[in-house]
Amino acid sequence: MFLVKVQIKLKSTVNDPEGQTILEAMHRLNHKEISSVRTGKYFEIIIDSNDDIEVSEKVKKVCDDILTNPIVETYTYEIIRN
Amino acid sequence: MFLVKVQIKLKSTVNDPEGQTILEAMHRLNHKEISSVRTGKYFEIIIDSNDDIEVSEKVKKVCDDILTNPIVETYTYEIIRN
């Protein structure tokens, strides 16, 4: 069994009004040292398999095909064998 | 300067209809080995500081006060010194 942690974030060229709003809230609450907030999505996926290579290919495929919009987002992931 | 990566996820006792819908889509697309999908949020925060301890305390505070709903969510983070 594998646990996969996927982080999806907006490309740096894409505007992030949600992150900007959170940053302004932080400044209002006196966290002035914070200079940037970028928002994204996070997924934890469990895959029942014993084949490391198959899991790696599957994760890449579901990230590309289902979880991410490649026009505006990028992803990173880590695979943990349980 | 510090880069902070924050992963927020729903507590395991909280229903996640978005994750369930994504899981069903994966099954329809023949990714049958995937047995669970849980959704969450991801943030990348930049903090201008040279003080490791101050940064760690600040991250905990903004996670508790601004980013997370402690009733239904938990968070993890990593702090990277740049």
Short mmCIF file of all heavy atoms in Angstrom, two decimals, chain A residues 15-38:
data_model
loop_
_atom_site.label_atom_id
_atom_site.label_comp_id
_atom_site.label_asym_id
_atom_site.label_seq_id
_atom_site.Cartn_x
_atom_site.Cartn_y
_atom_site.Cartn_z
N ASN A 15 -2.25 35.04 -11.36
CA ASN A 15 -2.75 35.82 -10.22
C ASN A 15 -3.42 34.92 -9.18
O ASN A 15 -4.04 33.92 -9.54
CB ASN A 15 -3.78 36.85 -10.69
CG ASN A 15 -3.12 38.06 -11.30
OD1 ASN A 15 -1.94 38.33 -11.04
ND2 ASN A 15 -3.86 38.78 -12.11
N ASP A 16 -3.28 35.29 -7.92
CA ASP A 16 -3.85 34.49 -6.83
C ASP A 16 -4.59 35.42 -5.86
O ASP A 16 -4.07 35.78 -4.81
CB ASP A 16 -2.72 33.74 -6.13
CG ASP A 16 -3.23 32.82 -5.02
OD1 ASP A 16 -4.46 32.76 -4.82
OD2 ASP A 16 -2.40 32.18 -4.37
N PRO A 17 -5.81 35.85 -6.23
CA PRO A 17 -6.52 36.81 -5.37
C PRO A 17 -6.81 36.27 -3.97
O PRO A 17 -6.81 37.03 -3.01
CB PRO A 17 -7.81 37.10 -6.14
CG PRO A 17 -7.90 36.07 -7.21
CD PRO A 17 -6.53 35.54 -7.47
N GLU A 18 -7.04 34.95 -3.86
CA GLU A 18 -7.29 34.37 -2.52
C GLU A 18 -6.04 34.54 -1.64
O GLU A 18 -6.13 34.96 -0.48
CB GLU A 18 -7.68 32.90 -2.65
CG GLU A 18 -8.03 32.26 -1.32
CD GLU A 18 -8.32 30.76 -1.42
OE1 GLU A 18 -8.39 30.23 -2.54
OE2 GLU A 18 -8.46 30.13 -0.37
N GLY A 19 -4.88 34.21 -2.23
CA GLY A 19 -3.63 34.37 -1.47
C GLY A 19 -3.39 35.83 -1.10
O GLY A 19 -2.94 36.14 0.01
N GLN A 20 -3.73 36.75 -2.01
CA GLN A 20 -3.54 38.18 -1.75
C GLN A 20 -4.44 38.64 -0.60
O GLN A 20 -4.00 39.40 0.28
CB GLN A 20 -3.86 38.96 -3.05
CG GLN A 20 -3.49 40.42 -3.02
CD GLN A 20 -2.00 40.65 -2.77
OE1 GLN A 20 -1.15 39.88 -3.20
NE2 GLN A 20 -1.69 41.71 -2.02
N THR A 21 -5.65 38.14 -0.58
CA THR A 21 -6.60 38.50 0.49
C THR A 21 -6.10 37.98 1.84
O THR A 21 -6.16 38.69 2.86
CB THR A 21 -7.99 37.91 0.17
OG1 THR A 21 -8.41 38.41 -1.09
CG2 THR A 21 -9.00 38.30 1.23
N ILE A 22 -5.59 36.75 1.85
CA ILE A 22 -5.06 36.19 3.10
C ILE A 22 -3.85 36.98 3.55
O ILE A 22 -3.69 37.29 4.75
CB ILE A 22 -4.71 34.69 2.90
CG1 ILE A 22 -5.99 33.89 2.65
CG2 ILE A 22 -3.95 34.14 4.10
CD1 ILE A 22 -5.74 32.46 2.18
N LEU A 23 -2.99 37.37 2.61
CA LEU A 23 -1.81 38.17 2.95
C LEU A 23 -2.22 39.50 3.60
O LEU A 23 -1.64 39.91 4.62
CB LEU A 23 -0.97 38.42 1.69
CG LEU A 23 0.28 39.26 1.87
CD1 LEU A 23 1.28 38.56 2.79
CD2 LEU A 23 0.95 39.55 0.52
N GLU A 24 -3.23 40.15 3.03
CA GLU A 24 -3.69 41.42 3.59
C GLU A 24 -4.25 41.23 5.00
O GLU A 24 -4.04 42.06 5.89
CB GLU A 24 -4.73 42.06 2.65
CG GLU A 24 -4.09 42.62 1.37
CD GLU A 24 -5.08 42.85 0.23
OE1 GLU A 24 -6.31 42.85 0.49
OE2 GLU A 24 -4.62 43.03 -0.91
N ALA A 25 -4.97 40.11 5.21
CA ALA A 25 -5.49 39.81 6.55
C ALA A 25 -4.34 39.61 7.53
O ALA A 25 -4.39 40.11 8.67
CB ALA A 25 -6.36 38.55 6.50
N MET A 26 -3.29 38.93 7.09
CA MET A 26 -2.13 38.72 7.97
C MET A 26 -1.47 40.05 8.33
O MET A 26 -1.07 40.26 9.48
CB MET A 26 -1.12 37.80 7.29
CG MET A 26 -1.58 36.35 7.22
SD MET A 26 -0.47 35.36 6.20
CE MET A 26 -1.14 33.71 6.48
N HIS A 27 -1.37 40.95 7.36
CA HIS A 27 -0.77 42.27 7.63
C HIS A 27 -1.62 43.05 8.64
O HIS A 27 -1.10 43.69 9.55
CB HIS A 27 -0.58 43.05 6.33
CG HIS A 27 0.55 42.53 5.50
ND1 HIS A 27 0.88 43.04 4.26
CD2 HIS A 27 1.44 41.54 5.74
CE1 HIS A 27 1.92 42.38 3.77
NE2 HIS A 27 2.28 41.47 4.64
N ARG A 28 -2.95 42.97 8.47
CA ARG A 28 -3.85 43.66 9.40
C ARG A 28 -3.69 43.10 10.82
O ARG A 28 -3.87 43.81 11.80
CB ARG A 28 -5.32 43.51 8.96
CG ARG A 28 -5.75 44.51 7.91
CD ARG A 28 -7.27 44.62 7.84
NE ARG A 28 -7.93 43.34 7.58
CZ ARG A 28 -8.05 42.76 6.38
NH1 ARG A 28 -7.57 43.36 5.31
NH2 ARG A 28 -8.65 41.60 6.24
N LEU A 29 -3.34 41.81 10.90
CA LEU A 29 -3.16 41.18 12.22
C LEU A 29 -1.71 41.25 12.69
O LEU A 29 -1.27 40.48 13.55
CB LEU A 29 -3.64 39.72 12.15
CG LEU A 29 -5.15 39.57 11.93
CD1 LEU A 29 -5.52 38.15 11.55
CD2 LEU A 29 -5.93 40.01 13.16
N ASN A 30 -0.96 42.17 12.07
CA ASN A 30 0.41 42.49 12.50
C ASN A 30 1.47 41.44 12.19
O ASN A 30 2.53 41.44 12.81
CB ASN A 30 0.44 42.84 14.00
CG ASN A 30 0.23 44.32 14.19
OD1 ASN A 30 0.69 45.13 13.37
ND2 ASN A 30 -0.47 44.69 15.24
N HIS A 31 1.20 40.55 11.23
CA HIS A 31 2.24 39.64 10.76
C HIS A 31 2.92 40.28 9.55
O HIS A 31 2.80 39.82 8.42
CB HIS A 31 1.64 38.28 10.39
CG HIS A 31 0.92 37.63 11.52
ND1 HIS A 31 1.55 37.27 12.69
CD2 HIS A 31 -0.38 37.26 11.68
CE1 HIS A 31 0.66 36.72 13.51
NE2 HIS A 31 -0.50 36.72 12.93
N LYS A 32 3.63 41.39 9.82
CA LYS A 32 4.17 42.21 8.72
C LYS A 32 5.34 41.53 8.01
O LYS A 32 5.69 41.90 6.89
CB LYS A 32 4.64 43.57 9.27
CG LYS A 32 3.60 44.33 10.08
CD LYS A 32 2.65 45.10 9.20
CE LYS A 32 1.77 46.02 10.05
NZ LYS A 32 0.60 46.53 9.32
N GLU A 33 5.98 40.57 8.66
CA GLU A 33 7.16 39.91 8.06
C GLU A 33 6.76 38.99 6.92
O GLU A 33 7.63 38.53 6.17
CB GLU A 33 7.93 39.08 9.10
CG GLU A 33 8.32 39.82 10.36
CD GLU A 33 7.21 39.82 11.41
OE1 GLU A 33 6.05 39.48 11.07
OE2 GLU A 33 7.51 40.16 12.55
N ILE A 34 5.47 38.66 6.83
CA ILE A 34 5.03 37.75 5.77
C ILE A 34 4.88 38.56 4.49
O ILE A 34 4.14 39.53 4.42
CB ILE A 34 3.71 37.05 6.17
CG1 ILE A 34 3.96 36.19 7.41
CG2 ILE A 34 3.17 36.20 5.02
CD1 ILE A 34 2.72 35.58 8.04
N SER A 35 5.64 38.17 3.46
CA SER A 35 5.66 38.97 2.23
C SER A 35 4.90 38.33 1.07
O SER A 35 4.67 38.99 0.06
CB SER A 35 7.10 39.27 1.82
OG SER A 35 7.78 38.07 1.55
N SER A 36 4.54 37.07 1.19
CA SER A 36 3.82 36.42 0.09
C SER A 36 3.02 35.23 0.62
O SER A 36 3.50 34.48 1.47
CB SER A 36 4.82 35.96 -0.97
OG SER A 36 4.19 35.10 -1.90
N VAL A 37 1.81 35.07 0.09
CA VAL A 37 1.00 33.87 0.35
C VAL A 37 0.48 33.38 -1.00
O VAL A 37 -0.15 34.16 -1.73
CB VAL A 37 -0.19 34.16 1.29
CG1 VAL A 37 -1.06 32.91 1.46
CG2 VAL A 37 0.28 34.66 2.64
N ARG A 38 0.75 32.13 -1.32
CA ARG A 38 0.21 31.53 -2.54
C ARG A 38 -0.63 30.32 -2.14
O ARG A 38 -0.19 29.51 -1.33
CB ARG A 38 1.33 31.08 -3.48
CG ARG A 38 2.24 32.19 -3.95
CD ARG A 38 1.66 33.04 -5.03
NE ARG A 38 1.52 32.34 -6.29
CZ ARG A 38 0.91 32.86 -7.36
NH1 ARG A 38 0.37 34.07 -7.32
NH2 ARG A 38 0.83 32.17 -8.47
#
